[in-house]
Amino acid sequence: MNELWSQRKLASVAKRQNDHRSPFQRDRARILHSAAFRRLQSKTQVMGSGQSDFYRTRLTHSLEAAQIGSGISAQLRNKHAQLSAELFPDDENLIESICLAHDIGHPPFGHGGEVALNYMMRDHGGFEGNGQTFRIVSHLEPFSEFYGMNLSRRTLLGLIKYPQLLTELTQLPLPIAPDTFRQLKAADWHPAKGLYSDDAEMFAWVLSPLSPADRTLFQSIKNTKNKHNKTIFKSLDCSIMELADDIAYGIHDLEDAIVTGVVSQQDFEQEVITKLKAIDEAWLQDYCQRLTAKLFNEQHYIQKEAIGGLVNYLITEIYLDDLNENSTINFTEPLLRYNAKLPVNAAKALQIFKDFVFSFVIKQTSIQQLEYRGQQIVMELFEALASDPTRLLPKHTKQRWLYAKAHNLNEYRVISDYVSGMTDDYATHLYQRLFLPSGAFPLSER
């Protein structure tokens, strides 16, 4: 493996006695011990954080994605032994690190919070959860003075799901701003998927080992009429993480909805089983015969057996796709040339589960009402903090804001960083403290 990919932006790190860990073992430890990772325990995944001790949070989702990611990596190493030494480290710490950190930049209240911050940052560079993840690990988390967790270059590359700046992807002109926050339509303000211009220098450093041709191809975009532009490519490690994320979302989050009674057996049979049976694959045809009965069984171990069978099927189907077999693609860097991919039938099956969770859980009125409420909280907090930052921001964030102001940097990004780092509970309590008479109770300063 090219040693350039194990380098860190800050080369001089603390030398600890008898520390024989690999670079990716260190990355994993830094992520696990970060405050940003801990905050995921109180950030919404699908169901509202804090409503039940059963629901998955962003933290438990990330742990499950990491376990699935390590399983995918092990499968690929076994299936493609001839490429293993060229593409994979000796253990699963790299993939686990990327999966553990992949949601670390998501704001409070799920996509409601993301829409709210993107709206409030519309004239200041925008906001996007994946871009915020890159910003946290490479700049904000205080493991180092200027470079966040100071992770290895390959780990950072794996976390970049959309390798282009938001300025190159955002559709212009922007929608007309509503008269009041309460009139804001979320569909009008979904962000493009990319990185912030504020972090362009660090992004360039991550891509610096690539040849000019690889860099240009990797950053190429697809123009979409009347929508944000989209990136086309991702690295090998990112493709593994994205599959692990999708499996955890489509299969494990479905378990929450079934056990808590959010979805009905009839809907599942009609919207999932019927569609799965239409796929021409013997294993799926056989598994579907008993799947509904198992998933809706009161014996939880039977549900777990069914969930485990689905996850195993998807993981073991994944293979390495050589992108260069497409005549228009010619990557020289192996980490860009190969991507993890599901074959057609397995990809259709996973999409059926994802669509079901989206339509019957996420789009459920009660969930959307919670997102809307969170959206309002985030916008009002941002507006208040931006109105008088030196008065309302906590000490450390105030110092960052003053530094940005003095050095002609984006001071609004500092406020966005602060609000997006809040947990659902912290944002709710701060809102009560600022706006509700009954909310006058002490909060520890962050």
Side-chain angles (χ1 to χ4, degrees):
M1 187 179 65
N2 191 328
E3 290 186 0
L4 287 171
W5 292 112
S6 62
Q7 289 180 350
R8 304 179 189 279
K9 178 68 171 173
L10 179 63
S12 58
V13 295
K15 305 295 183 185
R16 294 188 173 90
Q17 186 177 6
N18 298 322
D19 187 350
H20 303 296
R21 293 175 297 168
S22 71
F24 306 123
Q25 284 177 305
R26 293 185 180 194
D27 287 351
R28 186 176 183 275
R30 293 176 190 190
I31 293 164
L32 280 172
H33 291 286
S34 67
F37 182 74
R38 289 195 299 276
R39 289 187 188 117
L40 295 178
Q41 68 187 301
S42 188
K43 289 194 178 186
T44 295
Q45 172 59 12
V46 174
M47 309 293 189
S49 172
Q51 292 183 57
S52 167
D53 60 2
F54 179 84
Y55 295 160
R56 285 167 168 87
T57 64
R58 289 277 178 189
L59 180 68
T60 58
H61 164 77
S62 298
L63 292 170
E64 288 175 337
Q67 186 275 325
I68 294 170
S70 66
I72 295 172
S73 180
Q75 282 289 326
L76 292 176
R77 188 183 284 111
N78 183 60
K79 279 185 179 179
H80 303 273
Q82 73 281 7
L83 291 170
S84 181
E86 181 181 15
L87 296 177
F88 297 105
D90 294 332
D91 56 42
E92 312 304 340
N93 283 286
L94 168 66
I95 295 301
E96 287 195 6
S97 297
I98 294 168
C99 291
L100 287 170
H102 82 280
D103 268 353
I104 217 166
H106 277 245
F109 309 112
H111 291 293
E114 184 178 51
V115 165
L117 282 172
N118 185 50
Y119 174 73
M120 300 306 291
M121 290 291 289
R122 63 193 181 279
D123 297 323
H124 311 291
F127 179 89
E128 198 270 327
N130 298 284
Q132 191 68 19
T133 291
F134 182 76
R135 181 166 174 80
I136 287 171
V137 299
S138 65
H139 179 65
L140 296 179
E141 189 66 27
F143 182 90
S144 65
E145 186 174 3
F146 299 110
Y147 304 118
M149 298 183 195
N150 194 33
L151 301 178
S152 62
R153 184 186 266 115
R154 182 165 173 178
T155 300
L156 290 174
L157 180 70
L159 284 167
I160 298 173
K161 291 179 69 173
Y162 311 101
Q164 188 52 271
L165 301 180
L166 288 177
T167 50
E168 302 296 321
L169 298 166
T170 303
Q171 181 200 15
L172 296 175
L174 295 173
I176 298 173
D179 293 333
T180 68
F181 289 160
R182 293 189 179 183
Q183 296 174 350
L184 186 79
K185 292 183 179 180
D188 292 341
W189 293 96
H190 285 300
K193 302 292 186 181
L195 304 177
Y196 306 142
S197 297
D198 301 296
D199 302 316
E201 182 180 348
M202 193 65 174
F203 179 39
W205 177 82
V206 174
L207 301 187
S208 60
L210 301 177
S211 68
D214 273 5
R215 196 177 310 137
T216 299
L217 181 59
F218 185 54
Q219 292 185 262
S220 58
I221 61 178
K222 175 173 60 177
N223 294 315
T224 307
K225 188 176 181 181
N226 298 324
K227 293 182 180 179
H228 296 307
N229 295 331
K230 295 181 178 181
T231 58
I232 300 171
F233 300 106
K234 53 181 59 67
S235 69
L236 166 64
D237 303 321
C238 185
S239 71
I240 295 173
M241 174 267 283
E242 195 162 47
L243 283 171
D245 185 24
D246 284 350
I247 293 170
Y249 163 76
I251 307 300
H252 284 302
D253 289 355
L254 173 64
E255 184 184 7
D256 279 3
I258 290 173
V259 173
T260 54
V262 172
V263 298
S264 72
Q265 188 167 337
Q266 180 180 352
D267 287 338
F268 183 80
E269 186 73 26
Q270 181 177 331
E271 298 295 328
V272 176
I273 298 300
T274 302
K275 294 177 182 179
L276 288 176
K277 286 180 178 179
I279 299 174
D280 185 19
E281 179 151 339
W283 186 90
L284 280 173
Q285 297 282 346
D286 180 65
Y287 206 70
C288 283
Q289 302 301 321
R290 301 172 299 280
L291 183 57
T292 302
K294 287 183 175 181
L295 287 178
F296 287 84
N297 197 294
E298 292 184 359
Q299 299 295 325
H300 290 319
Y301 74 90
I302 295 177
Q303 293 176 334
K304 288 292 185 184
E305 179 187 332
I307 292 290
L310 288 170
V311 172
N312 181 73
Y313 160 70
L314 293 168
I315 289 176
T316 54
E317 287 289 297
I318 294 169
Y319 68 99
L320 280 181
D321 183 29
D322 184 352
L323 301 184
N324 285 4
E325 291 181 354
N326 183 323
S327 60
T328 63
I329 300 171
N330 187 28
F331 283 119
T332 57
E333 170 55 57
L335 295 182
L336 304 186
R337 175 177 174 176
Y338 296 97
N339 270 194
K341 190 175 180 179
L342 278 169
V344 174
N345 285 341
K348 286 180 180 177
L350 179 57
Q351 191 62 49
I352 289 168
F353 283 106
K354 288 172 60 181
D355 289 346
F356 182 72
V357 172
F358 181 78
S359 298
F360 285 81
V361 183
I362 292 176
K363 283 300 183 181
Q364 193 180 83
T365 301
S366 60
I367 300 293
Q368 288 302 306
Q369 288 173 346
L370 289 174
E371 270 200 13
Y372 176 83
R373 184 185 69 173
Q375 182 180 304
Q376 301 304 309
I377 289 172
V378 168
M379 288 188 290
E380 293 203 40
L381 285 178
F382 189 104
E383 182 182 52
L385 296 169
S387 71
D388 199 348
T390 58
R391 180 187 182 193
L392 298 176
L393 290 174
K395 181 179 179 181
H396 175 69
T397 307
K398 184 191 307 180
Q399 290 172 345
R400 287 188 56 231
W401 186 88
L402 290 170
Y403 180 89
K405 188 78 171 175
H407 292 81
N408 200 30
L409 300 174
N410 187 354
E411 68 265 26
Y412 290 95
R413 182 66 63 196
V414 177
I415 298 172
S416 173
D417 291 339
Y418 177 57
V419 176
S420 69
M422 295 178 183
T423 64
D424 295 14
D425 291 341
Y426 186 91
T428 301
H429 292 162
L430 183 58
Y431 179 89
Q432 291 173 339
R433 188 177 205 184
L434 290 176
F435 301 116
L436 303 180
S438 60
F441 51 84
L443 284 172
S444 59
E445 184 176 300
R446 294 175 60 192

